[in-house]
Amino acid sequence: MAKASETLIKSAQTVLTMDDDRRELAAHDIRIKDGVITEIGENLTTDGETVFATGCVVTPGLVNTHHHLYQTLTRAVPGGQDALLFGWLQRLYPIWSRFGPEEMNISAQIGLAELALSGCTLTSDHLYLYPNGARLDDTIEAAKEVGMRFHPTRGAMSIGESDGGLPPDSLVEKEDAILKDAIRLIDSHHDARDGSMVRVGVAPCSPFSVTRELMRDAAILARDKGVMLHTHLAENDEDIAYSLEKFGCRPGQYAEELGWVGEDVWHAHCVKLDQSEIDLFARTKTGVAHCPCSNCRLGSGIAPVRAMRDANVPVGLGVDGSASNDAGNLVAEARQAMLLQRVALGADAMSPREALEIATRGGAEVLGRHDCGQIAVGKRADIAIWDVTGVHSAGSWDQAAILLAGPTTVRDLFVEGRQIVRDGHMTSINLESVIQRQNTLAAQLADAI
C-alpha cells in the first residue's frame, strides 16, 4: 500500500492533541507528509489527498501495551469461560499446543484488524509458546500485511508440568534455545529509529513459568541489545501466594532483585501491587500495562491505577489476549479502565479525557515510543478519526468525551501516514477472507479436542 506524499485531514470538529499542553483544537486541519505530522492549523490547503473530518473528533492513534494475538482463535472456549487464571490456562494449553505457523499468522491478522477498527495504531504482542514450527516471525509478517505499528516480544516458558509448572512439557523450551532465538529476532527485525514499524522485546512469560536464571539472563540480554523487557506480574491473589511461597518475597521485590525494573521494563496487569511496589515502580519509571476487561473476566481484581498515576508510574492500556477478554476493542478498554476506577474510588476518580490519555500518550510512553501518542508537529502520523454524527453520539453535549457516549469504532485510521481504515473498513487486507479462514481453523481445533 503506497504512502501518499501528503495528506490533509481537513476541518476536524475537535482535535484532542494529547500534546504537552493537552490542547483541544476546534475546526483545525492536520497536514501529514512522509509519515510525519508537519503542520496543524486552520484553513490549510494541499495538492495531495484531502480527508474531510467535518463532524469528527480526531485523536492520536490508541496504543495497546499488552496482547496475546494468537488467542483470537480460542475465544469463549467452553470449560474456560468461568475459570480463574490458573484453571483457565490449564484448559487452554492443550488447544494451543496444536497451533502452527498458519494459526499464528491468521489469528494475528484478526487481532490486529480488530484493534485497528477500535482506533489502535501501535500494539505490542506477547507470544510465549511456539508449537509445531511457529515463530514470532509469523506475527511480524501479519503486522506488515495489516499495516500496524508493532512491538512483538519474544516470550517463553521453560518450566513444564513435570517440573512443577503449569504448562504441558510440550509447550516449554530449553533456555539456551530461547535466548538464542531472541538474539536472532532482534538482529533480524528490531528497528530502534524514530518511525520504526517493528521493535522487538524480550518477554519470559511469567515468574511462575520460567526459572530465576532465565529472568536474569533475559534482562542482561535485553540491555546488551538495547531492547525492552516485558512479563506478567502480580496479576491476582494466586500470583502473590506463589511468589511468597516460591521466592519468599512479593512480585515487585522479585522483579527488582532480578533487574526487572527501569524505563526499559513494563509489566502486565499489576493488579495486586502494594504501596511499596507502586513506589518502586514510580522511582524506577517501570511501566504497567493495565488490562481492565481481562482482570474483570478472570476475577483478578481492580488494579490500583489511580494510585499508580498519582505516584507517576507510567501506565498504558492492554486488551490482553482475546481468550481472556474476549474482545480486542481498545477504546472500549479505555472506557472500562475509567469505570473501574470510578466504581472503586468514586465518580471523580478518573475523567474520560484522562482515560483517553492513558490509551494514547500513556501507552506510547510505556513502550518507549516518544515519537508516537500525540498529535503534534514532528510526531508520527498515527491518527484516529471518530465520526460523532451517528446514533452513539446523538444528544451528547461534549462529543469529545467519546469514552462516555461513543463511538467505539473509527471512521478512518492512519498509521505512519497510511490509511489502513477508510469509512470503517480495512484497506490493507481482505478482512472477510481472513475471518472465514480463522473460523475454519477454530472449527478444526474444536473438532480435534
Side-chain angles (χ1 to χ4, degrees), residues 380-445:
R380 310 312 298 188
D382 293 3
I383 297 171
I385 301 178
W386 309 84
D387 185 348
V388 292
T389 64
V391 65
H392 294 95
S393 303
S396 174
W397 288 29
D398 180 7
Q399 292 179 326
I402 59 174
L403 299 189
L404 290 178
T408 57
T409 57
V410 288
R411 192 196 76 179
D412 304 298
L413 191 72
F414 292 83
V415 181
E416 190 67 7
R418 302 179 182 93
Q419 191 169 6
I420 69 168
V421 177
R422 181 181 292 114
D423 295 327
H425 298 282
M426 298 296 301
T427 65
S428 52
I429 58 172
N430 183 336
L431 186 55
E432 290 73 19
S433 175
V434 178
I435 291 170
Q436 183 177 13
R437 184 57 185 156
Q438 168 102 330
N439 288 335
T440 298
L441 291 172
Q444 290 172 351
L445 287 166

Short mmCIF file of all heavy atoms in Angstrom, two decimals, residues 380-445:
data_model
loop_
_atom_site.label_atom_id
_atom_site.label_comp_id
_atom_site.label_asym_id
_atom_site.label_seq_id
_atom_site.Cartn_x
_atom_site.Cartn_y
_atom_site.Cartn_z
N ARG A 380 4.89 11.12 14.71
CA ARG A 380 4.47 10.24 13.62
C ARG A 380 2.98 10.41 13.36
O ARG A 380 2.18 10.68 14.27
CB ARG A 380 4.77 8.78 13.94
CG ARG A 380 6.18 8.50 14.41
CD ARG A 380 7.28 9.13 13.58
NE ARG A 380 7.34 8.68 12.20
CZ ARG A 380 8.32 9.00 11.37
NH1 ARG A 380 9.31 9.79 11.78
NH2 ARG A 380 8.32 8.54 10.13
N ALA A 381 2.61 10.22 12.12
CA ALA A 381 1.22 10.43 11.69
C ALA A 381 0.39 9.18 11.96
O ALA A 381 -0.02 8.46 11.05
CB ALA A 381 1.17 10.82 10.22
N ASP A 382 0.16 8.90 13.24
CA ASP A 382 -0.72 7.82 13.70
C ASP A 382 -1.97 8.50 14.26
O ASP A 382 -1.95 9.04 15.38
CB ASP A 382 -0.05 6.98 14.78
CG ASP A 382 1.14 6.18 14.26
OD1 ASP A 382 1.49 6.32 13.07
OD2 ASP A 382 1.72 5.42 15.06
N ILE A 383 -3.06 8.47 13.52
CA ILE A 383 -4.20 9.34 13.80
C ILE A 383 -5.51 8.56 13.63
O ILE A 383 -5.69 7.83 12.65
CB ILE A 383 -4.19 10.56 12.86
CG1 ILE A 383 -2.94 11.41 13.11
CG2 ILE A 383 -5.45 11.41 13.03
CD1 ILE A 383 -2.72 12.51 12.09
N ALA A 384 -6.42 8.74 14.59
CA ALA A 384 -7.75 8.13 14.55
C ALA A 384 -8.80 9.21 14.35
O ALA A 384 -8.76 10.26 15.01
CB ALA A 384 -8.02 7.36 15.84
N ILE A 385 -9.74 8.95 13.45
CA ILE A 385 -10.84 9.88 13.17
C ILE A 385 -12.15 9.20 13.57
O ILE A 385 -12.49 8.14 13.04
CB ILE A 385 -10.86 10.29 11.69
CG1 ILE A 385 -9.54 10.96 11.30
CG2 ILE A 385 -12.04 11.22 11.40
CD1 ILE A 385 -9.45 11.34 9.82
N TRP A 386 -12.87 9.84 14.49
CA TRP A 386 -14.10 9.28 15.06
C TRP A 386 -15.30 10.11 14.61
O TRP A 386 -15.38 11.30 14.91
CB TRP A 386 -14.02 9.29 16.59
CG TRP A 386 -12.78 8.68 17.16
CD1 TRP A 386 -11.57 9.30 17.34
CD2 TRP A 386 -12.61 7.34 17.60
NE1 TRP A 386 -10.66 8.42 17.88
CE2 TRP A 386 -11.26 7.20 18.05
CE3 TRP A 386 -13.45 6.23 17.68
CZ2 TRP A 386 -10.75 6.02 18.57
CZ3 TRP A 386 -12.95 5.04 18.19
CH2 TRP A 386 -11.62 4.94 18.62
N ASP A 387 -16.22 9.50 13.92
CA ASP A 387 -17.43 10.19 13.45
C ASP A 387 -18.41 10.33 14.61
O ASP A 387 -18.88 9.32 15.16
CB ASP A 387 -18.05 9.37 12.31
CG ASP A 387 -19.24 10.07 11.67
OD1 ASP A 387 -19.73 11.07 12.22
OD2 ASP A 387 -19.70 9.58 10.62
N VAL A 388 -18.70 11.57 15.00
CA VAL A 388 -19.61 11.79 16.13
C VAL A 388 -20.96 12.33 15.65
O VAL A 388 -21.68 13.01 16.40
CB VAL A 388 -18.98 12.73 17.18
CG1 VAL A 388 -17.81 12.04 17.85
CG2 VAL A 388 -18.55 14.06 16.57
N THR A 389 -21.32 12.01 14.39
CA THR A 389 -22.62 12.42 13.87
C THR A 389 -23.65 11.30 13.95
O THR A 389 -24.80 11.50 13.57
CB THR A 389 -22.51 12.89 12.40
OG1 THR A 389 -22.11 11.78 11.58
CG2 THR A 389 -21.51 14.03 12.26
N GLY A 390 -23.25 10.13 14.43
CA GLY A 390 -24.13 8.97 14.43
C GLY A 390 -24.92 8.80 15.71
O GLY A 390 -24.89 9.64 16.62
N VAL A 391 -25.59 7.67 15.81
CA VAL A 391 -26.51 7.40 16.91
C VAL A 391 -25.80 7.37 18.26
O VAL A 391 -26.36 7.79 19.28
CB VAL A 391 -27.28 6.08 16.65
CG1 VAL A 391 -26.33 4.87 16.65
CG2 VAL A 391 -28.40 5.90 17.67
N HIS A 392 -24.54 6.90 18.30
CA HIS A 392 -23.85 6.78 19.58
C HIS A 392 -23.59 8.14 20.23
O HIS A 392 -23.51 8.23 21.46
CB HIS A 392 -22.51 6.05 19.40
CG HIS A 392 -22.67 4.63 18.99
ND1 HIS A 392 -22.63 4.23 17.68
CD2 HIS A 392 -22.91 3.51 19.71
CE1 HIS A 392 -22.82 2.93 17.61
NE2 HIS A 392 -22.99 2.46 18.82
N SER A 393 -23.45 9.16 19.43
CA SER A 393 -23.12 10.49 19.96
C SER A 393 -24.31 11.43 19.96
O SER A 393 -24.19 12.57 20.43
CB SER A 393 -21.99 11.11 19.13
OG SER A 393 -20.85 10.27 19.13
N ALA A 394 -25.45 10.98 19.45
CA ALA A 394 -26.61 11.86 19.35
C ALA A 394 -27.03 12.34 20.74
O ALA A 394 -27.22 11.54 21.66
CB ALA A 394 -27.77 11.12 18.68
N GLY A 395 -27.15 13.65 20.89
CA GLY A 395 -27.55 14.23 22.17
C GLY A 395 -26.41 14.50 23.12
O GLY A 395 -26.62 15.03 24.21
N SER A 396 -25.18 14.17 22.72
CA SER A 396 -24.03 14.40 23.60
C SER A 396 -23.68 15.89 23.62
O SER A 396 -23.50 16.51 22.58
CB SER A 396 -22.81 13.60 23.11
OG SER A 396 -21.67 13.92 23.88
N TRP A 397 -23.54 16.45 24.80
CA TRP A 397 -23.17 17.85 24.95
C TRP A 397 -21.67 18.05 24.83
O TRP A 397 -21.20 19.17 24.65
CB TRP A 397 -23.67 18.39 26.30
CG TRP A 397 -25.15 18.58 26.37
CD1 TRP A 397 -26.11 17.88 25.70
CD2 TRP A 397 -25.84 19.53 27.17
NE1 TRP A 397 -27.36 18.31 26.02
CE2 TRP A 397 -27.23 19.34 26.94
CE3 TRP A 397 -25.45 20.51 28.07
CZ2 TRP A 397 -28.21 20.09 27.56
CZ3 TRP A 397 -26.42 21.26 28.71
CH2 TRP A 397 -27.78 21.06 28.45
N ASP A 398 -20.92 17.01 24.98
CA ASP A 398 -19.45 17.07 24.87
C ASP A 398 -19.00 15.90 24.02
O ASP A 398 -18.64 14.84 24.52
CB ASP A 398 -18.81 17.00 26.27
CG ASP A 398 -17.29 17.07 26.22
OD1 ASP A 398 -16.73 17.30 25.12
OD2 ASP A 398 -16.65 16.89 27.27
N GLN A 399 -19.05 16.09 22.72
CA GLN A 399 -18.79 14.97 21.81
C GLN A 399 -17.34 14.51 21.85
O GLN A 399 -17.03 13.40 21.40
CB GLN A 399 -19.20 15.35 20.39
CG GLN A 399 -20.72 15.51 20.27
CD GLN A 399 -21.16 15.93 18.88
OE1 GLN A 399 -20.46 16.66 18.19
NE2 GLN A 399 -22.33 15.45 18.47
N ALA A 400 -16.45 15.34 22.41
CA ALA A 400 -15.06 14.90 22.55
C ALA A 400 -14.89 13.90 23.69
O ALA A 400 -13.86 13.22 23.77
CB ALA A 400 -14.15 16.11 22.79
N ALA A 401 -15.89 13.77 24.55
CA ALA A 401 -15.84 12.78 25.63
C ALA A 401 -16.31 11.43 25.08
O ALA A 401 -17.31 10.86 25.53
CB ALA A 401 -16.71 13.23 26.80
N ILE A 402 -15.56 10.92 24.11
CA ILE A 402 -16.03 9.74 23.38
C ILE A 402 -16.10 8.49 24.26
O ILE A 402 -16.81 7.54 23.93
CB ILE A 402 -15.16 9.46 22.13
CG1 ILE A 402 -13.70 9.23 22.51
CG2 ILE A 402 -15.30 10.58 21.13
CD1 ILE A 402 -12.83 8.81 21.33
N LEU A 403 -15.40 8.47 25.39
CA LEU A 403 -15.47 7.30 26.25
C LEU A 403 -16.77 7.23 27.04
O LEU A 403 -17.09 6.20 27.61
CB LEU A 403 -14.29 7.28 27.22
CG LEU A 403 -12.90 7.21 26.59
CD1 LEU A 403 -11.84 6.97 27.65
CD2 LEU A 403 -12.82 6.11 25.53
N LEU A 404 -17.52 8.31 27.07
CA LEU A 404 -18.82 8.30 27.72
C LEU A 404 -19.93 7.90 26.76
O LEU A 404 -20.82 7.14 27.11
CB LEU A 404 -19.13 9.67 28.33
CG LEU A 404 -18.28 10.07 29.55
CD1 LEU A 404 -18.65 11.47 30.02
CD2 LEU A 404 -18.44 9.07 30.68
N ALA A 405 -19.90 8.43 25.53
CA ALA A 405 -21.02 8.23 24.63
C ALA A 405 -20.67 7.51 23.32
O ALA A 405 -21.55 7.23 22.53
CB ALA A 405 -21.66 9.58 24.30
N GLY A 406 -19.41 7.23 23.07
CA GLY A 406 -19.06 6.57 21.82
C GLY A 406 -18.62 7.58 20.77
O GLY A 406 -18.51 8.77 21.06
N PRO A 407 -18.30 7.10 19.59
CA PRO A 407 -18.45 5.74 19.07
C PRO A 407 -17.34 4.79 19.57
O PRO A 407 -16.39 5.24 20.20
CB PRO A 407 -18.33 5.93 17.55
CG PRO A 407 -17.42 7.12 17.42
CD PRO A 407 -17.75 8.02 18.57
N THR A 408 -17.49 3.52 19.24
CA THR A 408 -16.50 2.52 19.65
C THR A 408 -15.72 1.94 18.47
O THR A 408 -14.90 1.04 18.66
CB THR A 408 -17.17 1.37 20.42
OG1 THR A 408 -18.20 0.79 19.60
CG2 THR A 408 -17.77 1.88 21.72
N THR A 409 -15.98 2.45 17.28
CA THR A 409 -15.16 2.09 16.11
C THR A 409 -14.79 3.37 15.37
O THR A 409 -15.54 4.35 15.39
CB THR A 409 -15.90 1.14 15.15
OG1 THR A 409 -17.13 1.75 14.74
CG2 THR A 409 -16.20 -0.19 15.81
N VAL A 410 -13.65 3.35 14.71
CA VAL A 410 -13.20 4.53 13.99
C VAL A 410 -13.83 4.61 12.60
O VAL A 410 -14.21 3.60 12.02
CB VAL A 410 -11.66 4.55 13.81
CG1 VAL A 410 -10.96 4.84 15.11
CG2 VAL A 410 -11.15 3.27 13.19
N ARG A 411 -13.89 5.83 12.10
CA ARG A 411 -14.23 6.00 10.69
C ARG A 411 -12.99 5.80 9.84
O ARG A 411 -13.02 5.06 8.85
CB ARG A 411 -14.80 7.41 10.45
CG ARG A 411 -15.46 7.55 9.07
CD ARG A 411 -15.67 9.01 8.70
NE ARG A 411 -14.42 9.66 8.28
CZ ARG A 411 -14.35 10.93 7.87
NH1 ARG A 411 -15.44 11.69 7.85
NH2 ARG A 411 -13.19 11.45 7.51
N ASP A 412 -11.90 6.47 10.23
CA ASP A 412 -10.64 6.38 9.47
C ASP A 412 -9.48 6.23 10.44
O ASP A 412 -9.53 6.74 11.57
CB ASP A 412 -10.41 7.64 8.64
CG ASP A 412 -11.56 7.95 7.69
OD1 ASP A 412 -11.84 7.13 6.81
OD2 ASP A 412 -12.18 9.02 7.86
N LEU A 413 -8.43 5.55 9.98
CA LEU A 413 -7.24 5.35 10.80
C LEU A 413 -6.00 5.43 9.93
O LEU A 413 -5.92 4.79 8.88
CB LEU A 413 -7.29 3.98 11.49
CG LEU A 413 -6.23 3.75 12.57
CD1 LEU A 413 -6.55 4.56 13.82
CD2 LEU A 413 -6.13 2.27 12.93
N PHE A 414 -5.04 6.25 10.39
CA PHE A 414 -3.76 6.41 9.70
C PHE A 414 -2.64 5.87 10.57
O PHE A 414 -2.58 6.16 11.77
CB PHE A 414 -3.49 7.89 9.41
CG PHE A 414 -4.42 8.51 8.41
CD1 PHE A 414 -5.67 8.99 8.80
CD2 PHE A 414 -4.05 8.62 7.08
CE1 PHE A 414 -6.53 9.56 7.89
CE2 PHE A 414 -4.91 9.19 6.14
CZ PHE A 414 -6.15 9.67 6.55
N VAL A 415 -1.76 5.09 9.97
CA VAL A 415 -0.55 4.61 10.63
C VAL A 415 0.63 4.99 9.76
O VAL A 415 0.70 4.59 8.59
CB VAL A 415 -0.57 3.08 10.84
CG1 VAL A 415 0.71 2.63 11.55
CG2 VAL A 415 -1.80 2.65 11.64
N GLU A 416 1.53 5.80 10.31
CA GLU A 416 2.69 6.28 9.55
C GLU A 416 2.22 6.96 8.26
O GLU A 416 2.85 6.87 7.20
CB GLU A 416 3.66 5.13 9.25
CG GLU A 416 5.01 5.52 8.68
CD GLU A 416 5.93 6.31 9.64
OE1 GLU A 416 5.59 6.47 10.84
OE2 GLU A 416 6.99 6.74 9.18
N GLY A 417 1.07 7.66 8.36
CA GLY A 417 0.53 8.39 7.23
C GLY A 417 -0.23 7.55 6.22
O GLY A 417 -0.80 8.10 5.27
N ARG A 418 -0.28 6.24 6.42
CA ARG A 418 -1.01 5.35 5.51
C ARG A 418 -2.40 5.11 6.08
O ARG A 418 -2.54 4.80 7.27
CB ARG A 418 -0.29 4.02 5.33
CG ARG A 418 1.13 4.14 4.81
CD ARG A 418 1.76 2.75 4.70
NE ARG A 418 3.13 2.80 4.24
CZ ARG A 418 4.20 2.86 5.02
NH1 ARG A 418 4.05 2.87 6.35
NH2 ARG A 418 5.42 2.89 4.52
N GLN A 419 -3.42 5.19 5.25
CA GLN A 419 -4.79 5.00 5.72
C GLN A 419 -5.13 3.52 5.68
O GLN A 419 -5.38 2.95 4.62
CB GLN A 419 -5.76 5.81 4.87
CG GLN A 419 -7.16 5.88 5.47
CD GLN A 419 -8.06 6.89 4.77
OE1 GLN A 419 -7.68 7.47 3.77
NE2 GLN A 419 -9.26 7.09 5.30
N ILE A 420 -5.17 2.88 6.84
CA ILE A 420 -5.45 1.43 6.89
C ILE A 420 -6.92 1.14 7.21
O ILE A 420 -7.36 0.01 7.04
CB ILE A 420 -4.52 0.67 7.85
CG1 ILE A 420 -4.80 1.03 9.31
CG2 ILE A 420 -3.06 0.92 7.49
CD1 ILE A 420 -4.09 0.09 10.28
N VAL A 421 -7.67 2.17 7.66
CA VAL A 421 -9.13 2.06 7.79
C VAL A 421 -9.74 3.27 7.09
O VAL A 421 -9.33 4.40 7.34
CB VAL A 421 -9.59 2.03 9.27
CG1 VAL A 421 -11.11 1.99 9.35
CG2 VAL A 421 -8.99 0.84 10.01
N ARG A 422 -10.67 2.99 6.21
CA ARG A 422 -11.38 4.07 5.50
C ARG A 422 -12.87 3.79 5.58
O ARG A 422 -13.32 2.70 5.22
CB ARG A 422 -10.93 4.15 4.04
CG ARG A 422 -11.63 5.27 3.24
CD ARG A 422 -11.17 5.31 1.79
NE ARG A 422 -9.79 5.74 1.67
CZ ARG A 422 -8.79 4.98 1.23
NH1 ARG A 422 -9.05 3.71 0.88
NH2 ARG A 422 -7.56 5.44 1.16
N ASP A 423 -13.62 4.76 6.09
CA ASP A 423 -15.07 4.62 6.22
C ASP A 423 -15.46 3.33 6.96
O ASP A 423 -16.42 2.63 6.60
CB ASP A 423 -15.75 4.64 4.85
CG ASP A 423 -15.59 5.99 4.16
OD1 ASP A 423 -15.55 7.02 4.88
OD2 ASP A 423 -15.49 6.02 2.92
N GLY A 424 -14.68 3.01 7.99
CA GLY A 424 -14.99 1.86 8.83
C GLY A 424 -14.58 0.52 8.28
O GLY A 424 -14.95 -0.52 8.85
N HIS A 425 -13.80 0.49 7.21
CA HIS A 425 -13.39 -0.78 6.59
C HIS A 425 -11.87 -0.84 6.44
O HIS A 425 -11.23 0.17 6.12
CB HIS A 425 -14.04 -0.94 5.21
CG HIS A 425 -15.55 -0.99 5.26
ND1 HIS A 425 -16.26 -2.11 5.64
CD2 HIS A 425 -16.48 -0.02 5.00
CE1 HIS A 425 -17.55 -1.85 5.60
NE2 HIS A 425 -17.71 -0.59 5.21
N MET A 426 -11.32 -2.01 6.64
CA MET A 426 -9.89 -2.20 6.45
C MET A 426 -9.53 -2.04 4.98
O MET A 426 -10.23 -2.56 4.10
CB MET A 426 -9.46 -3.60 6.92
CG MET A 426 -9.68 -3.91 8.38
SD MET A 426 -8.71 -2.87 9.50
CE MET A 426 -7.03 -3.25 8.97
N THR A 427 -8.45 -1.33 4.71
CA THR A 427 -8.00 -1.15 3.33
C THR A 427 -6.82 -2.05 2.99
O THR A 427 -6.50 -2.24 1.82
CB THR A 427 -7.56 0.31 3.09
OG1 THR A 427 -6.41 0.59 3.91
CG2 THR A 427 -8.68 1.28 3.44
N SER A 428 -6.17 -2.60 4.00
CA SER A 428 -4.90 -3.29 3.79
C SER A 428 -5.03 -4.79 3.57
O SER A 428 -4.17 -5.41 2.95
CB SER A 428 -3.98 -3.04 5.00
OG SER A 428 -4.65 -3.35 6.22
N ILE A 429 -6.11 -5.38 4.09
CA ILE A 429 -6.32 -6.82 3.95
C ILE A 429 -7.76 -7.09 3.57
O ILE A 429 -8.65 -6.26 3.80
CB ILE A 429 -5.98 -7.60 5.24
CG1 ILE A 429 -6.84 -7.10 6.42
CG2 ILE A 429 -4.49 -7.52 5.56
CD1 ILE A 429 -6.70 -7.94 7.67
N ASN A 430 -8.02 -8.26 2.98
CA ASN A 430 -9.38 -8.72 2.71
C ASN A 430 -9.90 -9.35 4.00
O ASN A 430 -9.72 -10.55 4.24
CB ASN A 430 -9.38 -9.73 1.56
CG ASN A 430 -10.78 -10.18 1.19
OD1 ASN A 430 -11.71 -10.12 1.99
ND2 ASN A 430 -10.94 -10.65 -0.04
N LEU A 431 -10.51 -8.54 4.84
CA LEU A 431 -10.88 -8.99 6.18
C LEU A 431 -11.89 -10.13 6.14
O LEU A 431 -11.80 -11.07 6.96
CB LEU A 431 -11.42 -7.82 6.99
CG LEU A 431 -11.72 -8.10 8.47
CD1 LEU A 431 -10.51 -8.66 9.19
CD2 LEU A 431 -12.21 -6.84 9.17
N GLU A 432 -12.82 -10.10 5.22
CA GLU A 432 -13.83 -11.16 5.14
C GLU A 432 -13.17 -12.52 4.89
O GLU A 432 -13.55 -13.53 5.49
CB GLU A 432 -14.85 -10.86 4.04
CG GLU A 432 -15.80 -9.70 4.35
CD GLU A 432 -15.11 -8.34 4.24
OE1 GLU A 432 -14.02 -8.26 3.60
OE2 GLU A 432 -15.64 -7.37 4.80
N SER A 433 -12.17 -12.53 4.01
CA SER A 433 -11.46 -13.78 3.71
C SER A 433 -10.68 -14.27 4.93
O SER A 433 -10.66 -15.47 5.22
CB SER A 433 -10.50 -13.56 2.53
OG SER A 433 -9.73 -14.70 2.29
N VAL A 434 -10.05 -13.34 5.66
CA VAL A 434 -9.29 -13.72 6.85
C VAL A 434 -10.23 -14.25 7.93
O VAL A 434 -9.91 -15.24 8.62
CB VAL A 434 -8.46 -12.53 7.36
CG1 VAL A 434 -7.70 -12.91 8.63
CG2 VAL A 434 -7.48 -12.06 6.29
N ILE A 435 -11.38 -13.63 8.10
CA ILE A 435 -12.36 -14.12 9.07
C ILE A 435 -12.81 -15.53 8.74
O ILE A 435 -12.91 -16.40 9.62
CB ILE A 435 -13.58 -13.17 9.13
CG1 ILE A 435 -13.19 -11.83 9.76
CG2 ILE A 435 -14.73 -13.81 9.91
CD1 ILE A 435 -14.27 -10.76 9.65
N GLN A 436 -13.08 -15.77 7.46
CA GLN A 436 -13.51 -17.10 7.04
C GLN A 436 -12.45 -18.15 7.37
O GLN A 436 -12.77 -19.24 7.87
CB GLN A 436 -13.82 -17.10 5.55
CG GLN A 436 -14.36 -18.43 5.03
CD GLN A 436 -14.72 -18.36 3.55
OE1 GLN A 436 -14.35 -17.43 2.85
NE2 GLN A 436 -15.43 -19.36 3.06
N ARG A 437 -11.18 -17.82 7.10
CA ARG A 437 -10.11 -18.78 7.38
C ARG A 437 -9.95 -18.98 8.89
O ARG A 437 -9.74 -20.10 9.35
CB ARG A 437 -8.79 -18.28 6.78
CG ARG A 437 -7.63 -19.26 6.93
CD ARG A 437 -7.98 -20.61 6.32
NE ARG A 437 -6.93 -21.61 6.56
CZ ARG A 437 -7.14 -22.93 6.56
NH1 ARG A 437 -8.37 -23.40 6.32
NH2 ARG A 437 -6.16 -23.76 6.78
N GLN A 438 -10.08 -17.90 9.65
CA GLN A 438 -10.00 -18.01 11.11
C GLN A 438 -11.08 -18.94 11.65
O GLN A 438 -10.80 -19.81 12.50
CB GLN A 438 -10.15 -16.62 11.73
CG GLN A 438 -10.37 -16.59 13.24
CD GLN A 438 -9.13 -16.23 14.02
OE1 GLN A 438 -8.02 -16.51 13.58
NE2 GLN A 438 -9.31 -15.61 15.16
N ASN A 439 -12.30 -18.79 11.17
CA ASN A 439 -13.39 -19.63 11.65
C ASN A 439 -13.18 -21.10 11.28
O ASN A 439 -13.51 -22.01 12.05
CB ASN A 439 -14.73 -19.13 11.10
CG ASN A 439 -15.16 -17.83 11.76
OD1 ASN A 439 -14.77 -17.53 12.88
ND2 ASN A 439 -15.98 -17.05 11.06
N THR A 440 -12.60 -21.33 10.10
CA THR A 440 -12.30 -22.70 9.69
C THR A 440 -11.26 -23.32 10.61
O THR A 440 -11.41 -24.47 11.07
CB THR A 440 -11.79 -22.72 8.24
OG1 THR A 440 -12.82 -22.23 7.37
CG2 THR A 440 -11.42 -24.14 7.82
N LEU A 441 -10.20 -22.57 10.92
CA LEU A 441 -9.16 -23.07 11.81
C LEU A 441 -9.70 -23.33 13.21
O LEU A 441 -9.35 -24.33 13.86
CB LEU A 441 -7.99 -22.09 11.86
CG LEU A 441 -7.16 -21.95 10.58
CD1 LEU A 441 -6.16 -20.79 10.72
CD2 LEU A 441 -6.41 -23.24 10.28
N ALA A 442 -10.56 -22.43 13.70
CA ALA A 442 -11.14 -22.61 15.03
C ALA A 442 -11.99 -23.87 15.08
O ALA A 442 -11.94 -24.63 16.07
CB ALA A 442 -11.97 -21.38 15.41
N ALA A 443 -12.76 -24.11 14.03
CA ALA A 443 -13.60 -25.32 13.99
C ALA A 443 -12.74 -26.58 13.96
O ALA A 443 -13.07 -27.58 14.60
CB ALA A 443 -14.52 -25.26 12.76
N GLN A 444 -11.64 -26.54 13.23
CA GLN A 444 -10.75 -27.71 13.17
C GLN A 444 -10.13 -27.98 14.54
O GLN A 444 -9.99 -29.13 14.95
CB GLN A 444 -9.66 -27.45 12.12
CG GLN A 444 -10.18 -27.47 10.70
CD GLN A 444 -9.13 -27.02 9.68
OE1 GLN A 444 -8.04 -26.53 10.03
NE2 GLN A 444 -9.45 -27.16 8.40
N LEU A 445 -9.76 -26.93 15.25
CA LEU A 445 -9.20 -27.10 16.59
C LEU A 445 -10.24 -27.69 17.53
O LEU A 445 -9.94 -28.58 18.33
CB LEU A 445 -8.72 -25.76 17.14
CG LEU A 445 -7.43 -25.19 16.52
CD1 LEU A 445 -7.27 -23.72 16.89
CD2 LEU A 445 -6.21 -25.99 16.96
#
